């Protein structure tokens, strides 16, 4: 039981940091947009980045506050963050928050150069594939252990 509480605390700390950072970068984007010129604001890439960061800002900050206030409740956390790998969750609130931030960064980079945006996307895909392999095995082991312990009870 103590190990489960430790895992919940680590999960809470990690995702509070993640959502806080993504929310803060979304807010920083809007602060930087205040000092930009008309040709920058009217750029299609900046408009798309603005739309993505408009989604990212409230979702990520709300999730960070939510985890701060209700992060000790295992049942609430399990309903918001189902026990599945991130790449199989396409319609959960945290996944939308993460993807909108990543797309916002992608569009912001594409404003400067499409080559940089392509390189950024390739880097993200490569990192995602590597992390998927690294994270998936321990996650499957953890789920199998949980299934075994639930059957023995």
């Amino acid at each position: 039981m103590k190990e489960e509480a430790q895992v919940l605390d680590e999960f809470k700390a990690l995702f509070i940091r993640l959502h806080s950072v993504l929310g803060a970068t979304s807010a920083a984007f809007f602060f930087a947009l205040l000092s930009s010129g008309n040709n920058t604001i009217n750029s299609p890439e900046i408009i798309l980045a603005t739309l993505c960061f408009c989604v990212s800002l409230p979702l990520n900050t709300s999730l960070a506050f939510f985890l701060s206030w209700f992060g000790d409740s295992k049942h609430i956390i399990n309903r918001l963050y189902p026990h599945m790998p991130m790449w199989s969750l396409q319609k959960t609130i945290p996944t939308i928050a993460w993807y909108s931030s990543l797309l916002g960064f992608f569009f912001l980079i594409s404003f400067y150069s499409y080559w940089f945006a392509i390189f950024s996307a390739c880097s993200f895909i490569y990192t995602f594939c590597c992390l998927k392999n690294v994270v998936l095995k321990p996650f499957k082991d953890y789920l199998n252990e949980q299934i075994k312990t639930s059957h023995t009870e």
Side-chain angles (χ1 to χ4, degrees), residues 18 22 31 58 72 83 98 100 103 128 138 148:
L18 175 71
L22 292 176
F31 289 132
D72 296 330
H83 291 295
W98 298 326
S100 64
L103 279 173
F128 186 74
K148 287 178 186 177

Side-chain angles (χ1 to χ4, degrees), residues 55-56 59-60 89-101:
V55 172
S56 170
L59 288 181
N60 281 305
L89 301 174
Q90 299 302 321
K91 296 180 182 174
T92 63
I93 292 171
T95 307
I96 294 169
W98 298 326
Y99 286 163
S100 64
S101 298

Side-chain angles (χ1 to χ4, degrees), residues 64-82:
F65 284 122
F66 178 82
L67 285 172
S68 297
W69 292 329
F70 303 109
D72 296 330
S73 173
K74 176 184 167 188
H75 300 294
I76 292 174
I77 297 297
N78 287 340
R79 294 189 77 181
L80 187 60
Y81 295 88

